[in-house]
Amino acid sequence: MNQPLPFRGGPATGRADLAEIMQKVARGDKQAFSTLYDALAPLVFGIVVKVVRDRAQSEEVAQEVMIDLWRQAARYRPDAGAVTTWAATIAHRRAVDRVRSAQAASDREQAQAAREHTTAFDEVAEQVETRLESEQVRRCLRGLTELQRQAVTLAYYRGLTYREVAEALRTPLPTIKTRMRDGLIRLRDCMGVTT
């Protein structure tokens, strides 16, 4: 693009020159915008890179700011402050927005990863716990008498009633009830269940 705008006569003249250039930009003068770009791009980039700290993102944000200056040139009011102040304010706001947006995205990703990690861990832990409990039940069932083990297995694993268990084992119903009660008490004690 063009060489940076030479400021003749000190800062007051520079302000006036940039204000005039901004008015031309507001009217759609592309050459004036080229001059404005050359004059403000280093300032804008410097502000953005201090906030964003990532050079590639800073370049993107600085470009967005310069496009904003082009689009919003008609909104600039010289009595409200210098063009450089207005540009610096826009640059700072855009940079802060980018940092906040990036942080929010990072927070969402970390939260999602934590949820996914926790879910996977819980499934594994549950499977291990179920296996351990199943093994403990099998071990405790081996500690029962043959009639107790058969009666409990038929009732709890096959879903038979006391009467159906008695018929299947060809044992009187009161005997089945007593053996199952005694077997369940021994299972409870073996498994360490407290009532």
Side-chain angles (χ1 to χ4, degrees):
M1 294 226 156
N2 295 337
Q3 293 297 319
L5 181 67
F7 294 124
R8 297 173 305 275
T13 308
R15 276 185 160 192
D17 287 346
L18 279 178
E20 289 172 22
I21 291 170
M22 187 58 91
Q23 287 174 352
K24 290 178 183 177
V25 171
R27 291 190 298 265
D29 185 332
K30 291 179 182 177
Q31 184 59 40
F33 179 70
S34 178
T35 303
L36 183 73
Y37 188 99
D38 290 342
L40 295 180
L43 169 74
V44 167
F45 182 75
I47 291 169
V48 171
V49 80
K50 283 181 184 176
V51 175
V52 175
R53 297 184 189 263
D54 177 78
R55 186 166 184 86
Q57 284 192 34
S58 297
E59 288 172 359
E60 282 181 29
V61 174
Q63 285 295 92
E64 291 170 8
V65 170
M66 297 310 294
I67 291 169
D68 279 351
L69 292 176
W70 169 258
R71 290 181 179 160
Q72 297 180 29
R75 295 178 62 195
Y76 170 69
R77 299 289 174 255
D79 55 336
V83 173
T84 53
T85 304
W86 188 58
T89 301
I90 292 172
H92 187 263
R93 286 180 184 161
R94 277 286 191 146
V96 169
D97 287 348
R98 175 64 63 101
V99 169
R100 286 180 181 157
S101 175
Q103 185 61 49
S106 174
D107 291 348
R108 282 191 303 274
E109 288 172 5
Q110 287 178 353
Q112 180 64 30
R115 282 191 300 271
E116 288 172 1
H117 179 71
T118 301
T119 301
F121 175 79
D122 287 346
E123 289 173 13
V124 170
E126 190 173 319
Q127 288 174 357
V128 169
E129 189 175 324
T130 300
R131 274 193 193 148
L132 291 174
E133 287 174 355
S134 296
E135 182 55 38
Q136 185 177 12
V137 168
R138 283 192 287 277
R139 184 178 47 79
C140 290
L141 278 171
R142 285 192 297 267
L144 301 179
T145 67
E146 185 64 27
L147 185 58
Q148 288 173 334
R149 183 173 41 258
Q150 288 175 338
V152 169
T153 301
L154 288 172
Y156 287 94
Y157 289 106
R158 292 206 183 152
L160 301 181
T161 64
Y162 285 123
R163 185 170 307 283
E164 292 169 333
V165 171
E167 290 172 5
L169 296 178
R170 297 188 179 135
T171 307
L173 182 60
T175 303
I176 291 299
K177 286 182 177 180
T178 301
R179 296 299 179 256
M180 283 186 63
R181 180 181 53 86
D182 292 346
L184 291 174
I185 290 170
R186 287 178 70 180
L187 278 174
R188 180 194 69 201
D189 292 344
C190 176
M191 304 243 344
V193 177
T194 57
T195 55

